[in-house]
Amino acid sequence: MTQPQGRGAWGGSESTYRALAGLVMAATVRIHRPEPGYAPDGSDRGFLGSGFFIAPSWVLTCAHVAMEGEGRHVNVVFKPDPGSAETAVEGAVVAALPERRHAAAGPGGVRVPAPSGGWPAPDLALIRLLRPVEHPCVYVTERPAGMFGGGSVLYTGWTDGGSGQLTRFSGRCQVMGTFGDWAEDDEQMRLDGDRMYPGLSGGPVVDLARGEVVGVLKSRSDGTTGGTSIGVERLRTLPVPPGAVAAESDDPYQAVFHAHDRYHADRHTSPVGTDRTWADLQRELGAGAGLALSPQQRVDLLGRLAELPPPLSTRSLLDLLDRLPDTHPAEHHAAPRGWRDGLGTLYDAPGGDGALELILRYCMSAISAERPYVLPSTQLAEASLWEWVKRMAEDRLSRKFRHELAGLRHNGRHAPGLEHLRTPAPTLEPARTRSAPFVLLALEPRGWERDRYDWRIGVAQHGGDVLPVAEDSRGTASKALPARLAGPLAEAFRRCDEPDDPAVLQVAVDQALMDLEVDGWRVPPDGRPLGVLRPVVIRRLDHSPLLADDGIDEREARWNRTRTAAMRAAVVDCEDGRRVPVPVVEELRQLPYETVPVLCRYGERTHPETAAGLGRVLDGGFGVALWQRRAAEPTAVCTDFHRRAADAVAEARIAAHLPEKIHELRQGVHAGRAETYWSNGVALYYEDPHHPLPGSGQFLEAP
């Protein structure tokens, strides 16, 4: 087979191929039936087949593998590197193509069972993990599989090879052609040249010329070698949501691939760690986006496109592509559905400056396109993509073309009637008013008895009085607190809760207890976590007024600003993925009053800067702050946490809405919604100076 011009290069080094295989196998998983008592010990008990992480918390596999679970639930087992322990996580099948084991409708519209008990093409399924875990992901092509760069592919998966002990397996095959009709969704790539064992179905198929996943292994041949695979572009045929799309998570296709592209952009641009990324290996292979973009430029661009809301529809995306010169999007089977798909249709444009000009025109169209929804971060995403376009044009293209781009940007921003075409951000529900009572839990450590606490529970009224519910000054061990407090808290909640409107729980502690996860307590022990049932916020028992130079109480001034002005997050302990010291109090006080400090590195509590940094934030007069209590790996990329925290603060808009926003996120984590997993372990500091804590001599005194 002749290598097409501009579609990768033959002859990457063996080192590059080994590194590529390592990245693929690290993201390959095995899928088991969720049997009681299952232990991921390498045995084949309940083993169904293979799969791979396509995006954070998302697994792609075959429908005939995933749908053999129990009630659309499976166990996903993975091992990121040879020296690590296996992890088993429950997953739910979100979508299967097709949903049932039936062939296409025959004469008269009658559906008949697929031959030999198999699952008809496209035979794909998406599994969403039901709890957050760290794991690697493959890089998935944005081009149809029929446009693979060479004739050789790598495939991986899990199999016992007849031994009864599951193990990773990889092999290489040649693409021999296709069979089936792409228009009927049953087109498959024919592979031959290597033996395939049972259990490999659902594993990734990688184009070795370009270093990207192009397919999912579907079946093995009845003979001794080879089998078939399904192109990943078949995921574009996932059902379109029937109603209006108001968030990325409303459409699984967009949610998966936006998360995929942000994941790879974040890891490639992060200065943390020295391991080669997918883009690094693609560069070593000589791959790229046709003749226009290097692998590094492509992954950066895809990450920026993934920050935008998706296209309004496939029809709107096709119309946008049709308006570009020398493009023929209708010729690509499995019509493009997302921004990455549209970009993939442009890679085979004629070479030279024209190829890059076409891509930049496409980006300008994406910036000005009608949106299904608009987020607080949308304007920043448009500006980020425009900066990328300008940088690429200034580096490689004529001044005349750059002038044209500037005109497109101006017209796109100021076109009459543009704003009314964009769906406005959803209106937030009214927050609880200050008059709503809340439950106050005060925990004080007994300095002379380690890990034991005195506690008091009361109901805070709108007038500032705190009515007592219960207290105990005999010292309760930390492990016994949830059970001991279950009854008194239930009574306090009963006094405050309204139907569908649970009262806020404010937990007042010393600074040393700011990492206490009261929101994770289960009271009663067989109930749901407190943070899932109601908003839970942290307060500090020990702080004093902070006066500005003019004598104004700065704490109250900052609080009043966050009640009326749109808040904005500021990460204060992390830059470019690296821990930095939290600025001194004098510098923090220079931040705008509507700022919400975010501590990304608080989970590293053994670091001497952790407690001191939080102390400076609390002493800086801020009434609202967020911090991450979960410890991350030293090489973990935290870009997504920064991004999502900023989005959450912007979406809440004012301080009164933030407790409910964090409550909503905690509910999402508990319910297994992948888009909320970034918030797992986040704490909210919420110090309303209009509801000061009573003095020690007054607390729990009746009015």
Side-chain angles (χ1 to χ4, degrees):
M1 182 179 291
T2 303
Q3 173 69 4
Q5 184 181 15
R7 291 193 182 179
W10 296 107
S13 72
E14 196 59 35
S15 169
T16 300
Y17 286 127
R18 283 198 301 269
L20 178 63
L23 289 180
V24 177
M25 295 183 74
T28 302
V29 306
R30 64 179 200 258
I31 298 171
H32 290 247
R33 196 172 283 109
E35 297 180 358
Y38 168 77
D41 56 3
S43 73
D44 62 356
R45 194 176 79 185
F47 176 58
L48 300 174
S50 302
F52 54 97
F53 284 117
I54 189 175
S57 300
W58 289 94
V59 171
L60 178 60
T61 184
C62 285
H64 80 261
V65 172
M67 298 298 276
E68 288 300 314
E70 301 293 336
R72 298 179 75 96
H73 281 236
V74 296
N75 272 344
V76 174
V77 183
F78 65 99
K79 190 175 182 179
D81 57 73
S84 64
E86 287 185 340
T87 300
V89 185
E90 188 178 4
V93 181
V94 172
L97 292 173
E99 283 284 343
R100 292 177 177 81
R101 191 192 299 267
H102 289 285
V110 178
R111 292 183 176 270
V112 295
S116 305
W119 205 281
D123 193 10
L124 297 175
L126 281 172
I127 298 170
R128 186 185 69 239
L129 300 191
L130 295 183
R131 67 177 175 89
V133 292
E134 291 293 325
H135 60 79
C137 300
V138 302
Y139 182 90
V140 175
T141 185
E142 58 271 31
R143 291 171 274 211
M147 301 169 65
F148 55 84
S152 183
V153 295
L154 167 76
Y155 65 93
T156 71
W158 287 82
T159 182
D160 65 2
S163 68
Q165 187 73 14
L166 293 172
T167 185
R168 299 174 191 254
F169 185 90
S170 68
R172 295 190 188 183
C173 275
Q174 296 298 118
V175 177
M176 307 304 293
T178 63
F179 72 81
D181 186 347
W182 64 263
E184 300 294 338
D185 284 336
D186 65 349
E187 183 185 51
Q188 301 175 47
M189 283 198 300
R190 295 169 46 233
L191 309 177
D192 200 5
D194 202 350
R195 184 172 181 181
M196 296 183 181
Y197 293 93
L200 296 176
S201 291
V205 176
V206 185
D207 180 344
L208 285 173
R210 289 197 178 115
E212 55 192 29
V213 172
V214 296
V216 180
L217 198 63
K218 173 174 169 54
S219 64
R220 59 194 183 102
S221 172
D222 290 337
T224 57
T225 63
T228 67
S229 77
I230 299 290
V232 289
E233 77 277 3
R234 287 294 160 193
L235 283 176
R236 300 177 189 179
T237 64
L238 283 168
V240 175
V245 173
E248 183 179 279
S249 58
D250 290 347
D251 185 342
Y253 181 85
Q254 305 294 356
V256 165
F257 281 107
H258 278 210
H260 170 280
D261 289 338
R262 290 193 295 258
Y263 170 92
H264 286 287
D266 290 346
R267 273 142 192 80
H268 185 72
T269 57
S270 171
V272 178
T274 58
D275 293 340
R276 287 180 288 183
T277 66
W278 282 81
D280 292 329
L281 295 179
Q282 289 163 355
R283 176 185 57 80
E284 293 175 23
L285 290 170
L291 299 175
L293 302 177
S294 70
Q296 296 93 329
Q297 291 166 338
R298 173 179 65 169
V299 78
D300 185 13
L301 172 56
L302 286 172
R304 293 171 193 262
L305 286 169
E307 297 286 0
L308 296 172
L312 189 63
S313 64
T314 292
R315 180 67 264 162
S316 68
L317 179 56
L318 289 172
D319 288 344
L320 182 154
L321 291 167
D322 277 331
R323 290 193 292 270
L324 297 175
D326 301 320
T327 58
H328 307 283
E331 294 179 2
H332 296 270
H333 52 86
R337 179 165 173 177
W339 295 124
R340 71 183 331 260
D341 310 328
L343 184 66
T345 67
L346 308 179
Y347 292 163
D348 293 309
D353 291 346
L356 179 58
E357 288 182 3
L358 187 62
I359 288 175
L360 298 190
R361 291 181 191 277
Y362 175 74
C363 292
M364 297 307 299
S365 296
I367 289 173
S368 60
E370 184 179 353
R371 312 284 187 214
Y373 56 85
V374 175
L375 301 174
S377 59
T378 299
Q379 190 172 4
L380 291 175
E382 292 171 356
S384 172
L385 183 54
W386 166 238
E387 289 301 317
W388 185 90
V389 168
K390 280 201 305 180
R391 186 171 68 249
M392 293 294 294
E394 289 166 359
D395 184 52
R396 293 169 53 179
L397 299 177
S398 68
R399 187 174 183 186
K400 179 180 179 181
F401 183 74
R402 300 201 304 269
H403 177 77
E404 180 183 347
L405 289 179
L408 290 173
R409 175 61 170 156
H410 176 81
N411 293 335
R413 294 179 69 180
H414 302 288
L418 175 63
E419 288 306 315
H420 82 269
L421 292 174
R422 299 184 175 195
T423 304
T427 303
L428 293 171
E429 292 294 325
R432 272 179 169 264
T433 64
R434 282 176 47 198
S435 62
F438 60 87
V439 176
L440 182 61
L441 166 63
L443 290 170
E444 297 184 14
R446 297 167 68 89
W448 61 96
E449 291 184 80
R450 185 179 180 183
D451 200 34
R452 299 186 75 85
Y453 303 90
D454 294 340
W455 54 266
R456 291 165 287 170
I457 295 174
V459 172
Q461 303 285 0
H462 67 273
D465 301 318
V466 179
L467 303 181
V469 173
E471 64 178 308
D472 190 334
S473 300
R474 296 169 296 179
T476 303
S478 61
K479 290 184 179 179
L481 281 172
R484 177 69 183 86
L485 296 176
L489 283 175
E491 172 61 22
F493 294 146
R494 189 172 63 84
R495 298 184 186 185
C496 300
D497 288 347
E498 295 286 351
D500 298 322
D501 190 12
V504 175
L505 172 61
Q506 296 194 5
V507 184
V509 293
D510 291 333
Q511 183 184 326
L513 290 178
M514 288 288 182
D515 59 347
L516 190 64
E517 295 191 44
V518 177
D519 53 280
W521 288 0
R522 294 176 183 267
V523 289
D526 59 348
R528 289 180 293 168
L530 274 176
V532 175
L533 295 171
R534 65 185 62 251
V536 178
V537 303
I538 304 295
R539 299 187 66 170
R540 187 168 67 155
L541 284 171
D542 50 343
H543 73 69
S544 56
L546 183 69
L547 299 180
D549 293 339
D550 55 6
I552 296 175
D553 186 338
E554 194 169 315
R555 293 186 189 280
E556 185 164 355
R558 282 190 178 277
W559 178 262
N560 290 339
R561 180 67 173 165
T562 61
R563 287 176 57 205
T564 57
M567 301 181 299
R568 54 183 177 180
V571 179
V572 295
D573 67 342
C574 183
E575 291 180 5
D576 294 327
R578 298 176 184 271
R579 170 189 277 277
V580 297
V582 174
V584 297
V585 172
E586 289 72 19
E587 289 184 39
L588 289 172
R589 291 175 67 180
Q590 301 305 310
L591 292 172
Y593 277 11
E594 63 270 22
T595 300
V596 176
V598 176
L599 293 166
C600 170
R601 300 288 170 166
Y602 186 77
E604 303 168 14
R605 285 186 282 278
T606 58
H607 196 285
E609 168 62 20
T610 299
L614 177 60
R616 290 197 287 275
V617 168
L618 300 181
D619 291 340
F622 300 94
V624 186
L626 292 170
W627 59 88
Q628 174 55 271
R629 294 173 298 201
R630 306 285 184 196
E633 296 294 328
T635 58
V637 178
C638 51
T639 311
D640 194 55
F641 175 78
H642 295 194
R643 176 191 297 120
R644 302 285 192 135
D647 287 346
V649 169
E651 288 168 12
R653 207 180 77 79
I654 59 174
H657 290 299
L658 200 49
E660 185 56 42
K661 180 64 180 178
I662 299 302
H663 177 215
E664 177 187 309
L665 290 167
R666 287 169 176 161
Q667 289 178 314
V669 173
H670 185 72
R673 296 201 297 268
E675 69 274 12
T676 65
Y677 287 172
W678 69 271
S679 67
N680 186 39
V682 166
L684 171 61
Y685 176 72
Y686 192 81
E687 190 69 55
D688 183 352
H690 299 130
H691 280 131
L693 293 173
S696 58
Q698 301 171 329
F699 190 55
L700 297 183
E701 293 183 4

